[in-house]
Amino acid sequence: MITLKGLHKKFDELEVLKGIDLQVDRGKVVVVIGPSGSGKTTLLRCMNVLETPTAGEISIDNQTLDFTDSVSKKAISSFRRLTGMVFQSYNLFPHMTALGNVMEGPLTVKGESKEAVRKRAEELLSKVGLGDKLDYYPFQLSGGQQQRVGIARALAMEPKVMLFDEPTSALDPELVGEVLKVMKNLASEGMTMVVVTHEMRFAEEAADEVIFMDGGHIIERGAPSQIFTNPKEERTKQFLNMIQ
Ligand code: ADP
């Protein structure tokens, strides 16, 4: 479903991604871990071209962008629709209700009736446990509820892949579980997901594969049970010792 080949990203002289190769099969959940500054967020942002890679190739669901050549804006905007992104800060529109937030994206994409969009938005909000909060504004919702609206909003665009960038980092601890639960449900329904997170329990329970990044490289990858109990690389061991 996702293939990255030789992906590089530089910010001026700073090389943040130094040749990432990665394949994620359809329906799999990949959790990306690693120290702060190792390039995890940049990797995710490159996957939906919020950042333009300096070189390399990204394919999602048989659409390919090759950044060695120049890539047109049109190609990027069609590519971006393949992924839904959930951010650490929920970034909801403050002046719109939960329902309005979820409907906004699909409504700006022509071709669907408002009724169809509304129906899907209601279903998605029910699915994330907010069927009774359709008319609430973000300020009336807890952080966990806002993040669940964020997930519903991303799903409303019917992406092939969901990307999560530290979706629970901004939440009070007691609100983390409800968001992870929604993510686990999504995973069990077969959504292909790439998740940057510090929630090792989520990785243990939901990931098919854990990827450890450091210094712009993938250092090690494997099943969560292998990475967490028997990491091969010294840097992975050091990182896991620090966070446990
Ligand atoms: P992580 O998610 O692993 O903490 P990031 O991808 O956020 O790592 O950042 C990797 C490196 O890239 C850091 O040194 C960060 O300062 C730098 N960086 C990230 N975004 C930008 C940007 N827009 N401009 C310049 N440097 C950036």
Side-chain angles (χ1 to χ4, degrees), residues 9-12 14-17 33-45 51 165-166 196 198 213:
K9 175 63 184 174
K10 272 188 183 177
F11 293 108
D12 297 320
L14 181 70
E15 192 171 34
V16 175
L17 299 179
I33 62 170
S36 179
S38 57
K40 306 181 297 295
T41 291
T42 304
L43 177 66
L44 220 54
R45 291 172 66 85
E51 301 290 355
D165 188 10
E166 298 194 20
V196 174
H198 302 292
M213 280 185 74

Side-chain angles (χ1 to χ4, degrees), residues 22-187:
L22 178 66
Q23 195 176 325
V24 182
D25 291 341
R26 189 180 299 268
K28 298 292 180 190
V29 177
V30 169
V31 167
V32 183
I33 62 170
S36 179
S38 57
K40 306 181 297 295
T41 291
T42 304
L43 177 66
L44 220 54
R45 291 172 66 85
C46 281
M47 285 191 207
N48 78 343
V49 211
L50 283 174
E51 301 290 355
T52 309
T54 327
E57 210 179 274
I58 306 181
S59 303
I60 296 179
D61 195 34
N62 297 326
Q63 281 195 45
T64 300
L65 296 181
D66 183 348
F67 293 95
T68 317
D69 308 325
S70 67
V71 175
S72 72
K73 281 201 176 126
K74 198 170 158 224
I76 288 177
S77 70
S78 119
F79 195 84
R80 202 166 273 157
R81 295 221 191 118
L82 298 169
T83 57
M85 183 117 172
V86 177
F87 300 89
Q88 181 178 343
S89 52
Y90 334 113
N91 297 342
L92 299 180
F93 299 116
H95 59 289
M96 287 183 187
T97 63
L99 190 65
N101 267 280
V102 178
M103 290 177 66
E104 179 63 13
L107 282 184
T108 57
V109 179
K110 288 193 287 269
E112 258 186 302
S113 72
K114 198 167 178 180
E115 286 65 41
V117 170
R118 174 188 292 272
K119 185 164 178 287
R120 191 161 80 243
E122 287 176 356
E123 284 166 6
L124 286 169
L125 282 165
S126 298
K127 186 179 153 116
V128 300
L130 295 172
D132 58 344
K133 300 277 190 291
L134 303 181
D135 296 327
Y136 282 51
Y137 287 86
F139 77 90
Q140 297 171 308
L141 299 170
S142 73
Q145 290 169 334
Q146 289 185 57
Q147 189 58 301
R148 286 187 277 145
V149 176
I151 294 172
R153 182 180 55 175
L155 290 171
M157 298 298 282
E158 303 186 305
K160 303 285 183 183
V161 168
M162 284 286 283
L163 307 172
F164 294 86
D165 188 10
E166 298 194 20
T168 58
S169 302
L171 297 176
D172 289 333
E174 74 273 20
L175 303 178
V176 168
E178 64 192 60
V179 173
L180 294 180
K181 189 170 155 220
V182 166
M183 291 168 63
K184 277 185 210 161
N185 286 344
L186 204 53

